[in-house]
Amino acid sequence: MPRRKKWKSGNVVEIELDDGSFSYGVVIEEPLVAFTEATFTERPEITPKLFSEVAFQLWVMNSAIGKNGWPVIGDVPLKELSIPDAKFYRHDIISKKFYHYVDCTNDIPSTREECVGLECAAVWRKDHVEDRLKAHKEGAVCQWEESLRAENKA
């Protein structure tokens, strides 16, 4: 069985929200995707400027993009983007210890306080990302984001 085609860095995906508006994501490096701050009623020009303000960056499941997920509608050169490095934390539920990632691969022992405000090192489903984008647009709290916050871990 052939392996699924990987996304490429710089791929831009279009995400239709349930209110008919659109958000956009850019693949930084699979599975990391950065999502636009703004939402749109019509497709904007696909340029690096589209990602001048990023709402958040998440690790996203492979199934979220492509055949049964968000369509890839273009590409932008990553070297022209000024997106800050993603910062994640993880919580070991057995040892109750916290860690944070500097380069998304090596974890460093940390405290809960140092992890507050960082994204949880979790891989998000397509529908959960859409819920979060909608909540972000509305200025509301997303239940999935809330459940993953470091301050809610014991």
Side-chain angles (χ1 to χ4, degrees):
M1 183 169 191
R3 191 169 181 276
R4 276 179 74 116
K5 182 180 175 190
K6 286 185 157 227
W7 326 325
K8 294 180 186 168
S9 295
N11 283 167
V12 175
V13 295
E14 182 173 68
I15 303 138
E16 185 172 4
L17 303 178
D18 62 8
D19 65 0
S21 66
F22 296 92
S23 185
Y24 294 87
V26 61
V27 176
I28 304 301
E29 184 176 345
E30 185 184 358
L32 182 62
V33 178
F35 297 92
T36 57
E37 176 69 37
T39 57
F40 304 84
T41 54
E42 294 180 9
R43 183 180 292 170
E45 185 179 0
I46 307 304
T47 67
K49 186 178 178 183
L50 181 60
F51 298 96
S52 61
E53 292 186 53
V54 169
F56 48 84
Q57 298 179 63
L58 301 172
W59 290 339
V60 178
M61 288 185 170
N62 284 334
S63 59
I65 297 176
K67 186 177 178 183
N68 298 311
W70 308 313
V72 173
I73 59 157
D75 295 281
V76 293
L78 290 183
K79 66 182 186 238
E80 293 182 26
L81 302 180
S82 56
I83 297 173
D85 291 338
K87 295 177 183 168
F88 295 95
Y89 86 90
R90 111 177 146 79
H91 178 244
D92 184 309
I93 58 172
I94 296 170
S95 70
K96 305 293 186 205
K97 292 183 180 177
F98 285 85
Y99 300 86
H100 71 273
Y101 293 89
V102 206
D103 56 8
C104 296
T105 54
N106 299 314
D107 53 357
I108 297 170
S110 194
T111 65
R112 178 188 356 215
E113 293 72 30
E114 292 170 320
C115 293
V116 168
L118 299 181
E119 289 289 346
C120 181
V123 181
W124 287 60
R125 288 182 8 191
K126 174 184 175 286
D127 56 329
H128 292 175
V129 174
E130 291 167 359
D131 288 348
R132 180 151 175 200
L133 287 164
K134 185 173 183 269
H136 184 79
K137 176 183 178 180
E138 296 170 351
V141 175
C142 172
Q143 66 176 335
W144 312 115
E145 177 189 9
E146 178 77 16
S147 70
L148 295 171
R149 287 184 180 165
E151 55 267 37
N152 296 332
K153 306 292 181 190

